[in-house]
PDB file of all heavy atoms in Angstrom:
ATOM      1  N   LYS D   2    -242.638-221.920   6.827  1.00 47.00           N
ATOM      2  CA  LYS D   2    -242.510-222.271   5.403  1.00 47.00           C
ATOM      3  C   LYS D   2    -242.215-221.021   4.561  1.00 47.00           C
ATOM      4  O   LYS D   2    -241.381-221.042   3.669  1.00 47.00           O
ATOM      5  CB  LYS D   2    -243.774-222.952   4.935  1.00 47.00           C
ATOM      6  CG  LYS D   2    -243.694-223.516   3.528  1.00 47.00           C
ATOM      7  CD  LYS D   2    -244.947-224.292   3.172  1.00 47.00           C
ATOM      8  CE  LYS D   2    -244.853-224.864   1.779  1.00 47.00           C
ATOM      9  NZ  LYS D   2    -246.039-225.622   1.421  1.00 47.00           N
ATOM     10  N   ALA D   9    -234.129-218.930   0.909  1.00 44.00           N
ATOM     11  CA  ALA D   9    -233.614-219.526  -0.315  1.00 44.00           C
ATOM     12  C   ALA D   9    -233.391-218.469  -1.378  1.00 44.00           C
ATOM     13  O   ALA D   9    -232.398-218.462  -2.119  1.00 44.00           O
ATOM     14  CB  ALA D   9    -234.600-220.587  -0.816  1.00 44.00           C
ATOM     15  N   LEU D  13    -229.841-217.334  -3.346  1.00 39.00           N
ATOM     16  CA  LEU D  13    -229.739-217.292  -4.803  1.00 39.00           C
ATOM     17  C   LEU D  13    -229.236-215.934  -5.282  1.00 39.00           C
ATOM     18  O   LEU D  13    -228.485-215.839  -6.250  1.00 39.00           O
ATOM     19  CB  LEU D  13    -231.090-217.603  -5.421  1.00 39.00           C
ATOM     20  CG  LEU D  13    -231.580-219.053  -5.327  1.00 39.00           C
ATOM     21  CD1 LEU D  13    -232.986-219.190  -5.885  1.00 39.00           C
ATOM     22  CD2 LEU D  13    -230.635-219.989  -6.078  1.00 39.00           C
ATOM     23  N   GLN D  24    -214.215-208.950 -11.319  1.00 84.00           N
ATOM     24  CA  GLN D  24    -214.391-209.045 -12.751  1.00 84.00           C
ATOM     25  C   GLN D  24    -213.196-208.506 -13.517  1.00 84.00           C
ATOM     26  O   GLN D  24    -213.114-208.679 -14.735  1.00 84.00           O
ATOM     27  CB  GLN D  24    -215.659-208.325 -13.178  1.00 84.00           C
ATOM     28  CG  GLN D  24    -215.721-206.863 -12.720  1.00 84.00           C
ATOM     29  CD  GLN D  24    -217.038-206.229 -13.036  1.00 84.00           C
ATOM     30  OE1 GLN D  24    -217.711-206.631 -13.974  1.00 84.00           O
ATOM     31  NE2 GLN D  24    -217.428-205.234 -12.277  1.00 84.00           N
ATOM     32  N   TYR D  27    -205.446-207.240 -12.395  1.00 91.00           N
ATOM     33  CA  TYR D  27    -204.278-206.437 -12.788  1.00 91.00           C
ATOM     34  C   TYR D  27    -203.008-207.195 -12.417  1.00 91.00           C
ATOM     35  O   TYR D  27    -202.885-207.670 -11.294  1.00 91.00           O
ATOM     36  CB  TYR D  27    -204.312-205.062 -12.137  1.00 91.00           C
ATOM     37  CG  TYR D  27    -205.414-204.175 -12.654  1.00 91.00           C
ATOM     38  CD1 TYR D  27    -206.706-204.324 -12.163  1.00 91.00           C
ATOM     39  CD2 TYR D  27    -205.173-203.238 -13.637  1.00 91.00           C
ATOM     40  CE1 TYR D  27    -207.741-203.548 -12.663  1.00 91.00           C
ATOM     41  CE2 TYR D  27    -206.204-202.447 -14.117  1.00 91.00           C
ATOM     42  CZ  TYR D  27    -207.492-202.593 -13.642  1.00 91.00           C
ATOM     43  OH  TYR D  27    -208.497-201.820 -14.131  1.00 91.00           O
ATOM     44  N   VAL D  33    -187.613-202.391  -7.254  1.00 82.00           N
ATOM     45  CA  VAL D  33    -187.099-201.039  -7.036  1.00 82.00           C
ATOM     46  C   VAL D  33    -186.103-201.052  -5.893  1.00 82.00           C
ATOM     47  O   VAL D  33    -186.081-201.978  -5.068  1.00 82.00           O
ATOM     48  CB  VAL D  33    -188.236-200.042  -6.724  1.00 82.00           C
ATOM     49  CG1 VAL D  33    -189.264-200.007  -7.850  1.00 82.00           C
ATOM     50  CG2 VAL D  33    -188.926-200.414  -5.412  1.00 82.00           C
ATOM     51  N   GLU D  36    -183.458-195.497  -1.462  1.00 68.00           N
ATOM     52  CA  GLU D  36    -182.381-194.939  -0.635  1.00 68.00           C
ATOM     53  C   GLU D  36    -182.971-194.371   0.647  1.00 68.00           C
ATOM     54  O   GLU D  36    -183.966-193.649   0.635  1.00 68.00           O
ATOM     55  CB  GLU D  36    -181.649-193.838  -1.408  1.00 68.00           C
ATOM     56  CG  GLU D  36    -180.877-194.345  -2.604  1.00 68.00           C
ATOM     57  CD  GLU D  36    -180.117-193.240  -3.314  1.00 68.00           C
ATOM     58  OE1 GLU D  36    -180.337-192.075  -2.970  1.00 68.00           O
ATOM     59  OE2 GLU D  36    -179.314-193.559  -4.207  1.00 68.00           O
ATOM     60  N   VAL D  69    -188.743-192.331   2.351  1.00 68.00           N
ATOM     61  CA  VAL D  69    -187.347-192.037   1.991  1.00 68.00           C
ATOM     62  C   VAL D  69    -186.785-191.047   3.003  1.00 68.00           C
ATOM     63  O   VAL D  69    -187.434-190.050   3.326  1.00 68.00           O
ATOM     64  CB  VAL D  69    -187.285-191.457   0.553  1.00 68.00           C
ATOM     65  CG1 VAL D  69    -185.849-191.035   0.235  1.00 68.00           C
ATOM     66  CG2 VAL D  69    -187.751-192.480  -0.457  1.00 68.00           C
ATOM     67  N   SER D  77    -182.403-200.295   0.151  1.00 71.00           N
ATOM     68  CA  SER D  77    -183.196-201.521   0.332  1.00 71.00           C
ATOM     69  C   SER D  77    -183.907-201.844  -0.972  1.00 71.00           C
ATOM     70  O   SER D  77    -184.375-200.934  -1.677  1.00 71.00           O
ATOM     71  CB  SER D  77    -184.196-201.346   1.464  1.00 71.00           C
ATOM     72  OG  SER D  77    -185.187-200.393   1.128  1.00 71.00           O
ATOM     73  N   ASP D  82    -194.653-209.337  -7.265  1.00 94.00           N
ATOM     74  CA  ASP D  82    -195.165-210.054  -8.430  1.00 94.00           C
ATOM     75  C   ASP D  82    -196.495-210.658  -8.000  1.00 94.00           C
ATOM     76  O   ASP D  82    -196.555-211.701  -7.397  1.00 94.00           O
ATOM     77  CB  ASP D  82    -194.193-211.136  -8.898  1.00 94.00           C
ATOM     78  CG  ASP D  82    -194.700-211.882 -10.114  1.00 94.00           C
ATOM     79  OD1 ASP D  82    -195.749-211.479 -10.686  1.00 94.00           O
ATOM     80  OD2 ASP D  82    -194.063-212.878 -10.527  1.00 94.00           O
ATOM     81  N   ASN D 104    -198.288-184.818  -6.202  1.00 55.00           N
ATOM     82  CA  ASN D 104    -199.394-185.785  -6.341  1.00 55.00           C
ATOM     83  C   ASN D 104    -199.951-185.659  -7.758  1.00 55.00           C
ATOM     84  O   ASN D 104    -200.520-184.634  -8.121  1.00 55.00           O
ATOM     85  CB  ASN D 104    -200.490-185.473  -5.331  1.00 55.00           C
ATOM     86  CG  ASN D 104    -201.483-186.615  -5.212  1.00 55.00           C
ATOM     87  OD1 ASN D 104    -201.707-187.342  -6.171  1.00 55.00           O
ATOM     88  ND2 ASN D 104    -202.089-186.778  -4.053  1.00 55.00           N
ATOM     89  N   ASP D 110    -201.506-197.659 -20.146  1.00 49.00           N
ATOM     90  CA  ASP D 110    -202.367-198.448 -21.006  1.00 49.00           C
ATOM     91  C   ASP D 110    -201.610-199.718 -21.378  1.00 49.00           C
ATOM     92  O   ASP D 110    -201.016-199.827 -22.429  1.00 49.00           O
ATOM     93  CB  ASP D 110    -202.737-197.655 -22.267  1.00 49.00           C
ATOM     94  CG  ASP D 110    -203.686-198.411 -23.158  1.00 49.00           C
ATOM     95  OD1 ASP D 110    -204.313-199.380 -22.663  1.00 49.00           O
ATOM     96  OD2 ASP D 110    -203.810-198.076 -24.328  1.00 49.00           O
ATOM     97  N   GLU D 115    -191.494-196.130 -17.137  1.00 53.00           N
ATOM     98  CA  GLU D 115    -190.100-195.769 -17.374  1.00 53.00           C
ATOM     99  C   GLU D 115    -189.210-196.199 -16.209  1.00 53.00           C
ATOM    100  O   GLU D 115    -189.580-196.085 -15.042  1.00 53.00           O
ATOM    101  CB  GLU D 115    -190.011-194.241 -17.541  1.00 53.00           C
ATOM    102  CG  GLU D 115    -188.597-193.729 -17.762  1.00 53.00           C
ATOM    103  CD  GLU D 115    -188.560-192.209 -17.796  1.00 53.00           C
ATOM    104  OE1 GLU D 115    -189.624-191.583 -17.687  1.00 53.00           O
ATOM    105  OE2 GLU D 115    -187.459-191.662 -17.891  1.00 53.00           O
ATOM    106  N   SER D 120    -186.569-191.747 -12.934  1.00 50.00           N
ATOM    107  CA  SER D 120    -187.780-192.097 -13.682  1.00 50.00           C
ATOM    108  C   SER D 120    -188.938-191.237 -13.240  1.00 50.00           C
ATOM    109  O   SER D 120    -188.930-190.635 -12.164  1.00 50.00           O
ATOM    110  CB  SER D 120    -188.108-193.558 -13.482  1.00 50.00           C
ATOM    111  OG  SER D 120    -188.703-193.758 -12.209  1.00 50.00           O
ATOM    112  N   ASN D 121    -189.944-191.190 -14.089  1.00 50.00           N
ATOM    113  CA  ASN D 121    -191.136-190.408 -13.773  1.00 50.00           C
ATOM    114  C   ASN D 121    -192.031-191.088 -12.759  1.00 50.00           C
ATOM    115  O   ASN D 121    -193.071-190.568 -12.380  1.00 50.00           O
ATOM    116  CB  ASN D 121    -191.951-190.162 -15.055  1.00 50.00           C
ATOM    117  CG  ASN D 121    -191.265-189.157 -15.956  1.00 50.00           C
ATOM    118  OD1 ASN D 121    -190.587-188.271 -15.498  1.00 50.00           O
ATOM    119  ND2 ASN D 121    -191.409-189.346 -17.259  1.00 50.00           N
ATOM    120  N   VAL D 133    -193.995-203.018 -14.021  1.00 86.00           N
ATOM    121  CA  VAL D 133    -194.989-203.385 -15.038  1.00 86.00           C
ATOM    122  C   VAL D 133    -196.356-203.464 -14.383  1.00 86.00           C
ATOM    123  O   VAL D 133    -196.536-204.115 -13.364  1.00 86.00           O
ATOM    124  CB  VAL D 133    -194.651-204.723 -15.712  1.00 86.00           C
ATOM    125  CG1 VAL D 133    -195.716-205.085 -16.735  1.00 86.00           C
ATOM    126  CG2 VAL D 133    -193.274-204.666 -16.363  1.00 86.00           C
ATOM    127  N   TYR D 146    -209.783-214.679 -31.163  1.00 96.00           N
ATOM    128  CA  TYR D 146    -210.015-216.129 -31.258  1.00 96.00           C
ATOM    129  C   TYR D 146    -211.490-216.425 -31.507  1.00 96.00           C
ATOM    130  O   TYR D 146    -212.371-215.776 -30.958  1.00 96.00           O
ATOM    131  CB  TYR D 146    -209.588-216.797 -29.954  1.00 96.00           C
ATOM    132  CG  TYR D 146    -209.850-218.291 -29.892  1.00 96.00           C
ATOM    133  CD1 TYR D 146    -208.960-219.188 -30.430  1.00 96.00           C
ATOM    134  CD2 TYR D 146    -211.025-218.765 -29.304  1.00 96.00           C
ATOM    135  CE1 TYR D 146    -209.209-220.543 -30.373  1.00 96.00           C
ATOM    136  CE2 TYR D 146    -211.277-220.121 -29.241  1.00 96.00           C
ATOM    137  CZ  TYR D 146    -210.379-221.002 -29.779  1.00 96.00           C
ATOM    138  OH  TYR D 146    -210.641-222.347 -29.738  1.00 96.00           O
ATOM    139  N   ASN D 181    -207.533-235.093 -23.743  1.00 92.00           N
ATOM    140  CA  ASN D 181    -207.926-235.087 -22.327  1.00 92.00           C
ATOM    141  C   ASN D 181    -206.781-235.436 -21.405  1.00 92.00           C
ATOM    142  O   ASN D 181    -207.001-235.877 -20.277  1.00 92.00           O
ATOM    143  CB  ASN D 181    -209.090-236.062 -22.117  1.00 92.00           C
ATOM    144  CG  ASN D 181    -210.336-235.636 -22.847  1.00 92.00           C
ATOM    145  OD1 ASN D 181    -210.680-234.447 -22.889  1.00 92.00           O
ATOM    146  ND2 ASN D 181    -211.054-236.600 -23.461  1.00 92.00           N
ATOM    147  N   PHE D 197    -195.747-215.106 -27.532  1.00 96.00           N
ATOM    148  CA  PHE D 197    -194.923-216.283 -27.840  1.00 96.00           C
ATOM    149  C   PHE D 197    -195.501-216.954 -29.071  1.00 96.00           C
ATOM    150  O   PHE D 197    -196.634-216.661 -29.498  1.00 96.00           O
ATOM    151  CB  PHE D 197    -194.896-217.254 -26.651  1.00 96.00           C
ATOM    152  CG  PHE D 197    -196.237-217.789 -26.254  1.00 96.00           C
ATOM    153  CD1 PHE D 197    -196.696-219.019 -26.734  1.00 96.00           C
ATOM    154  CD2 PHE D 197    -197.071-217.090 -25.383  1.00 96.00           C
ATOM    155  CE1 PHE D 197    -197.933-219.515 -26.384  1.00 96.00           C
ATOM    156  CE2 PHE D 197    -198.316-217.586 -25.014  1.00 96.00           C
ATOM    157  CZ  PHE D 197    -198.741-218.803 -25.521  1.00 96.00           C
ATOM    158  N   ASN D 210    -205.112-232.651 -36.770  1.00 91.00           N
ATOM    159  CA  ASN D 210    -206.539-232.597 -36.442  1.00 91.00           C
ATOM    160  C   ASN D 210    -206.854-233.004 -35.020  1.00 91.00           C
ATOM    161  O   ASN D 210    -208.015-233.230 -34.661  1.00 91.00           O
ATOM    162  CB  ASN D 210    -207.349-233.496 -37.408  1.00 91.00           C
ATOM    163  CG  ASN D 210    -207.244-232.997 -38.848  1.00 91.00           C
ATOM    164  OD1 ASN D 210    -207.523-231.836 -39.134  1.00 91.00           O
ATOM    165  ND2 ASN D 210    -206.839-233.889 -39.745  1.00 91.00           N
ATOM    166  N   ILE D 230    -208.928-220.468 -21.820  1.00 97.00           N
ATOM    167  CA  ILE D 230    -208.266-221.522 -22.581  1.00 97.00           C
ATOM    168  C   ILE D 230    -208.535-221.349 -24.071  1.00 97.00           C
ATOM    169  O   ILE D 230    -209.696-221.129 -24.488  1.00 97.00           O
ATOM    170  CB  ILE D 230    -208.743-222.910 -22.123  1.00 97.00           C
ATOM    171  CG1 ILE D 230    -208.302-223.132 -20.663  1.00 97.00           C
ATOM    172  CG2 ILE D 230    -208.217-224.019 -23.018  1.00 97.00           C
ATOM    173  CD1 ILE D 230    -208.836-224.415 -20.068  1.00 97.00           C
ATOM    174  N   VAL D 251    -200.801-235.232 -77.614  1.00 79.00           N
ATOM    175  CA  VAL D 251    -201.675-236.175 -78.312  1.00 79.00           C
ATOM    176  C   VAL D 251    -200.909-236.823 -79.457  1.00 79.00           C
ATOM    177  O   VAL D 251    -199.967-236.254 -80.031  1.00 79.00           O
ATOM    178  CB  VAL D 251    -202.928-235.446 -78.853  1.00 79.00           C
ATOM    179  CG1 VAL D 251    -203.789-234.968 -77.718  1.00 79.00           C
ATOM    180  CG2 VAL D 251    -202.535-234.286 -79.759  1.00 79.00           C
ATOM    181  N   ARG D 264    -195.772-234.492 -59.806  1.00 83.00           N
ATOM    182  CA  ARG D 264    -195.386-235.191 -58.595  1.00 83.00           C
ATOM    183  C   ARG D 264    -195.450-234.219 -57.398  1.00 83.00           C
ATOM    184  O   ARG D 264    -195.025-233.069 -57.491  1.00 83.00           O
ATOM    185  CB  ARG D 264    -193.963-235.758 -58.698  1.00 83.00           C
ATOM    186  CG  ARG D 264    -193.804-236.848 -59.738  1.00 83.00           C
ATOM    187  CD  ARG D 264    -192.383-237.353 -59.741  1.00 83.00           C
ATOM    188  NE  ARG D 264    -192.030-237.900 -58.429  1.00 83.00           N
ATOM    189  CZ  ARG D 264    -190.774-237.985 -57.986  1.00 83.00           C
ATOM    190  NH1 ARG D 264    -189.776-237.537 -58.710  1.00 83.00           N
ATOM    191  NH2 ARG D 264    -190.536-238.522 -56.788  1.00 83.00           N
ATOM    192  N   ARG D 267    -195.877-235.300 -50.923  1.00 79.00           N
ATOM    193  CA  ARG D 267    -196.467-236.192 -49.932  1.00 79.00           C
ATOM    194  C   ARG D 267    -197.778-236.740 -50.460  1.00 79.00           C
ATOM    195  O   ARG D 267    -198.368-236.213 -51.409  1.00 79.00           O
ATOM    196  CB  ARG D 267    -196.702-235.486 -48.591  1.00 79.00           C
ATOM    197  CG  ARG D 267    -197.746-234.369 -48.652  1.00 79.00           C
ATOM    198  CD  ARG D 267    -198.078-233.869 -47.255  1.00 79.00           C
ATOM    199  NE  ARG D 267    -199.017-232.754 -47.272  1.00 79.00           N
ATOM    200  CZ  ARG D 267    -200.336-232.886 -47.352  1.00 79.00           C
ATOM    201  NH1 ARG D 267    -200.867-234.101 -47.495  1.00 79.00           N
ATOM    202  NH2 ARG D 267    -201.128-231.834 -47.333  1.00 79.00           N
TER     203      ARG D 267
END
Side-chain angles (χ1 to χ4, degrees):
K2 187 175 181 180
L13 289 175
Q24 55 186 333
Y27 291 81
V33 301
E36 293 182 351
V69 175
S77 66
D82 181 6
N104 193 331
D110 183 17
E115 179 186 357
S120 77
N121 289 328
V133 179
Y146 176 85
N181 295 320
F197 61 95
N210 297 305
I230 295 174
V251 293
R264 294 181 60 204
R267 66 171 177 83

